[in-house]
Amino acid sequence: MEAYILDGSRMTGVFSAHNHIAEVFGFPGSYDRSLDMLWDLLCEIPVPFRLSVVNWAQAEEGLEDYANELMELFVDLVEEEPEFSFDVTD
């Protein structure tokens, strides 16, 4: 199973969050740093795969309301694709 780790300490603003996500997943340069395109690209990754987010509290602090939107996207992906697993630690 492929595993990806996002570090919340590198996600303290919307732009930095999307840049870190793009780096971790190896997204193409055409990634427009939007939640819609993030969803589309994550749905293209072969399953099963695991996403772990560490230092989430730091991301929440920097991202504020956007952190909730990002978390919703990950939770929705779990509901959509049972072979995608996801965990978060502070």
Side-chain angles (χ1 to χ4, degrees), residues 77-85:
L77 190 58
V78 169
E79 292 174 3
E80 181 81 18
E81 180 49 69
E83 291 189 70
F84 165 74
S85 59

Side-chain angles (χ1 to χ4, degrees), residues 6-89:
L6 295 176
D7 184 348
S9 70
R10 296 190 54 201
M11 301 169 63
T12 56
V14 174
F15 190 73
S16 66
H18 280 287
N19 281 344
H20 181 55
I21 291 167
E23 179 184 317
V24 167
F25 285 100
F27 288 162
S30 60
Y31 173 51
D32 69 1
R33 275 74 177 159
S34 71
L35 291 175
D36 287 337
M37 190 165 196
L38 176 58
W39 173 268
D40 291 344
L41 289 170
L42 288 175
C43 287
E44 291 177 7
I45 296 174
V47 290
F49 77 92
R50 172 177 213 71
L51 172 61
S52 297
V53 182
V54 298
N55 302 315
W56 180 245
Q58 290 178 20
E60 284 181 305
E61 185 177 312
L63 293 171
E64 299 175 348
D65 291 339
Y66 198 77
N68 294 331
E69 294 178 49
L70 195 55
M71 187 59 65
E72 273 185 47
L73 183 143
F74 296 143
V75 169
D76 288 348
L77 190 58
V78 169
E79 292 174 3
E80 181 81 18
E81 180 49 69
E83 291 189 70
F84 165 74
S85 59
F86 171 66
D87 61 84
V88 179
T89 57

